[in-house]
């Protein structure tokens, strides 16, 4: 049982480059989300999805796009990387869209923008 | 805005001592509260989930309580071990599809 899988684990980008962070879950979860974790600021929600074809913005969506074409996958796209996007990114999933069930997290992607 | 606070930011105890980790939240309309463990460079692992209708949850040496009226949750870890050293985060869920996280308490258990 793989759970939530994120790739890549590490990435260095130059300012202005774009890239996609991949997230896949094999638990048939309705709900998926992306968080970023910064020192002293905790985890902040970027985007979330309550099912295939449905996405919405979280607290810090600017500079990021998402799509949810299948239940399993929820990629996060950085459109034009900026140093302020240097962070650790976590993908999470939960069985229920209402977050009243346990949340499962991936191992994270550590992104550095230079 | 829902705010979740964890104090202290860091805690060091000798092996065998019981750990008490605190979490406070500003909005009593909480749906549930989850406690997570995060090891350095790793993702978050869910430890306990307490629904708003529950007062506590237990799993092995871990016990978490929830008091909505006072806006507090406490995670107790009995007979701490060096392997318990990690950062512990609490997160509240409200009816808006997100978890509101505290900044975490980093625990060191000294052998």
């Amino acid at each position: 049982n793989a759970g939530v899988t994120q790739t890549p684990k590490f990435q260095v980008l130059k300012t202005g480059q774009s890239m996609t962070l991949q997230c896949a879950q094999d638990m048939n979860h309705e709900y998926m989300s992306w968080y970023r974790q910064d020192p002293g600021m905790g985890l902040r929600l970027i985007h979330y999805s309550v099912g295939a074809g449905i996405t919405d913005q979280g607290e810090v969506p600017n500079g990021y796009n998402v799509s949810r074409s299948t239940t399993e996958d929820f990629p996060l796209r950085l459109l034009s990387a900026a140093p302020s996007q240097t962070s650790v990114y976590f993908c999470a999933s939960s069985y229920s869209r209402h977050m009243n069930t346990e949340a499962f997290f991936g191992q994270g992607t550590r992104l550095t923008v230079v | 805005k829902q705010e979740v606070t964890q104090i202290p930011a860091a805690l060091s105890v000798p092996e065998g001592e019981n750990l008490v980790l605190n979490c406070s939240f500003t909005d009593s309309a909480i749906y549930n509260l989850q406690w997570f463990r995060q090891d350095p460079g790793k993702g978050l692992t869910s430890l306990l989930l307490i629904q708003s209708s529950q007062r506590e949850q237990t799993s092995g040496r871990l016990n978490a309580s929830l008091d909505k009226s006072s806006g507090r949750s406490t995670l107790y870890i009995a007979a701490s071990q060096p392997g318990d050293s990690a950062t512990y985060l609490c997160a509240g869920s409200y009816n808006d599809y997100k978890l509101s996280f505290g900044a975490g308490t980093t625990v060191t258990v000294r052998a």
Side-chain angles (χ1 to χ4, degrees):
Chain A
N1 189 355
V4 179
T5 303
Q6 289 184 238
T7 56
K9 287 187 170 54
F10 301 93
Q11 183 70 48
V12 178
L13 285 180
K14 293 182 179 179
T15 297
Q17 286 185 318
S18 63
M19 79 160 294
T20 298
L21 280 63
Q22 301 292 344
C23 175
Q25 53 90 9
D26 62 358
M27 297 172 282
N28 200 32
H29 284 174
E30 268 193 311
Y31 179 93
M32 296 185 74
S33 57
W34 279 100
Y35 288 84
R36 59 178 289 173
Q37 184 176 36
D38 301 291
M41 302 193 72
L43 283 90
R44 293 178 292 167
L45 182 66
I46 305 171
H47 285 285
Y48 66 92
S49 168
V50 297
I54 307 169
T55 63
D56 207 344
Q57 297 181 348
E59 302 171 76
V60 289
N62 292 339
Y64 308 95
N65 272 356
V66 292
S67 60
R68 183 104 179 264
S69 56
T70 66
T71 299
E72 294 78 20
D73 299 299
F74 191 45
L76 177 72
R77 297 183 189 84
L78 278 70
L79 308 173
S80 177
S84 62
Q85 293 179 305
T86 293
S87 187
V88 182
Y89 292 85
F90 288 102
C91 179
S93 73
S94 178
Y95 178 76
S96 166
R97 62 176 57 190
H98 294 296
M99 295 300 293
N100 60 350
T101 55
E102 184 181 0
F104 292 81
F105 281 75
Q107 291 295 295
T109 295
R110 187 173 297 273
L111 175 69
T112 302
V113 182
V114 298
Chain B
K1 179 183 176 183
Q2 296 96 10
E3 293 187 2
V4 179
T5 306
Q6 293 183 251
I7 296 173
L11 188 59
S12 178
V13 300
E15 183 176 4
E17 190 166 301
N18 295 334
L19 279 165
V20 180
L21 305 178
N22 298 306
C23 173
S24 59
F25 45 92
T26 56
D27 188 345
S28 62
I30 198 165
Y31 212 58
N32 64 52
L33 189 130
Q34 296 187 51
W35 282 93
F36 295 89
R37 169 182 171 139
Q38 185 176 27
D39 293 292
K42 302 292 186 182
L44 282 69
T45 300
S46 180
L47 296 174
L48 290 168
L49 167 67
I50 313 174
Q51 301 289 357
S52 61
S53 58
Q54 298 174 318
R55 297 295 296 271
E56 65 178 334
Q57 278 284 357
T58 299
S59 175
R61 293 185 296 113
L62 277 59
N63 175 277
S65 64
L66 177 65
D67 186 340
K68 289 176 57 179
S69 62
S70 66
R72 292 183 183 176
S73 177
T74 304
L75 177 67
Y76 299 90
I77 303 177
S80 62
Q81 305 167 359
D84 294 328
S85 298
T87 297
Y88 293 83
L89 299 107
C90 66
S93 173
Y94 300 83
N95 254 345
D96 58 355
Y97 305 119
K98 76 175 177 77
L99 292 172
S100 295
F101 280 87
T105 296
T106 298
V107 171
T108 302
V109 180
R110 308 186 303 272

